[in-house]
Amino acid sequence: IKKLEKHALKEDIYDVEKLTKLFYPENNYTFKELKKKLKISNQELHSLLKDLEKDEIIFYNYNSDIYIPIKGEYFSTICKCDKKGLFYIYLNGVEEYLPKKAAAGLLPYDKAIFQKTPLGFKLVKIIKRNNLNIVCEILENNKIKVVGRENFPIKNNLQIKKLNLPVGTRILVEIENEINQNGFDVKFKEVLGHKNDLNAEFE
């Protein structure tokens, strides 16, 4: 058993090293292309790719359905927010402010992957949320918005619509997915009160 475990461990290390080298210097691959090159099972490849994503060596781009190495024009960093609500990051020790478009969907201290382009910075993927819970407010026609944020799109939510809460009600929700064309999916957690209620404002 020990010999078999040792052999399996060697194979795993070999596969990880081989997979990592495939992305050097800046190669992109689909899942099918990687499977063809490594000749391992879907389950094994998924596991290896998850490990590389966890170690921030690569990331999966949903739009183009490819795995991309985090190097060159791509980098990961923690996003911060000043008193005016403007987001900024540090790149090579330099403070860089983000335009509104690049900060859409960000919350303070989120860890995200950005792409440095000739036009500035582009938000590619949020890889770790600092806090999944956000406060939203009910608008007309049961639409909702994030309190204190203009460029944080929320997808229409049937669960919240069915509650039929009065306009101005503040609720706590949990972000469930990364951004898509219609915004973020959220899960209702609790009613905090009305925006004119001091207790709701405190929450």
Side-chain angles (χ1 to χ4, degrees):
I1 289 167
K2 280 182 181 177
K3 278 183 180 179
L4 284 169
E5 283 177 349
K6 222 173 185 182
H7 180 67
L9 185 63
K10 276 183 180 178
E11 280 192 341
D12 283 349
I13 293 167
Y14 169 74
D15 286 337
V16 169
E17 287 176 351
K18 193 176 177 184
L19 182 57
T20 307
K21 281 177 183 176
L22 283 174
F23 288 100
Y24 182 83
E26 291 177 34
N27 300 319
N28 306 329
Y29 295 100
T30 64
F31 187 86
K32 282 182 181 178
E33 287 170 342
L34 289 170
K35 192 185 173 189
K36 195 175 178 182
K37 284 180 179 290
L38 287 178
K39 294 175 183 174
I40 56 176
S41 69
N42 284 0
Q43 192 177 348
E44 285 173 310
L45 184 52
H46 272 300
S47 178
L48 290 173
L49 289 168
K50 268 190 175 179
D51 287 341
L52 292 190
E53 282 189 276
K54 195 177 177 182
D55 293 337
E56 293 178 31
I57 293 167
I58 62 167
F59 72 94
Y60 177 64
N61 188 309
Y62 291 95
N63 296 326
S64 50
D65 192 28
I66 55 171
Y67 290 89
I68 302 171
I70 304 174
K71 56 171 67 175
E73 62 191 281
Y74 297 99
F75 63 95
S76 66
T77 186
I78 291 173
C79 309
K80 297 184 179 181
C81 187
D82 66 13
K83 291 177 182 178
K84 293 178 181 177
L86 299 172
F87 279 83
Y88 63 94
I89 57 173
Y90 283 98
L91 180 61
N92 301 323
V94 179
E95 191 176 87
E96 302 271 8
Y97 272 84
L98 299 172
K100 280 188 176 181
K101 196 174 181 182
L106 283 175
L107 294 170
Y109 298 101
D110 282 346
K111 194 167 196 179
I113 296 168
F114 288 89
Q115 181 182 14
K116 194 175 189 312
T117 72
L119 299 174
F121 299 99
K122 182 184 175 185
L123 175 63
V124 177
K125 190 175 186 178
I126 297 162
I127 51 176
K128 190 178 180 184
R129 288 282 188 191
N130 177 54
N131 185 6
L132 290 172
N133 297 323
I134 51 174
V135 178
C136 291
E137 187 179 307
I138 305 294
L139 305 174
E140 296 283 349
N141 301 318
N142 282 315
K143 289 183 179 179
I144 57 175
K145 71 166 186 177
V146 179
V147 174
R149 288 297 307 278
E150 289 178 9
N151 58 341
F152 199 106
I154 297 289
K155 202 174 174 182
N156 286 335
N157 189 295
L158 290 173
Q159 181 197 14
I160 295 169
K161 272 187 177 180
K162 284 178 183 177
L163 294 172
N164 204 25
L165 297 166
V167 173
T169 303
R170 295 271 171 92
I171 58 173
L172 188 69
V173 301
E174 183 181 313
I175 305 166
E176 286 201 303
N177 74 328
E178 290 314 321
I179 196 165
N180 57 40
Q181 289 181 344
N182 301 314
F184 290 89
D185 279 316
V186 293
K187 182 172 72 176
F188 172 78
K189 293 193 81 174
E190 62 177 298
V191 173
L192 299 175
H194 195 271
K195 68 176 181 179
N196 297 330
D197 179 4
L198 287 175
N199 289 332
E201 193 65 31
F202 176 73
E203 291 281 5

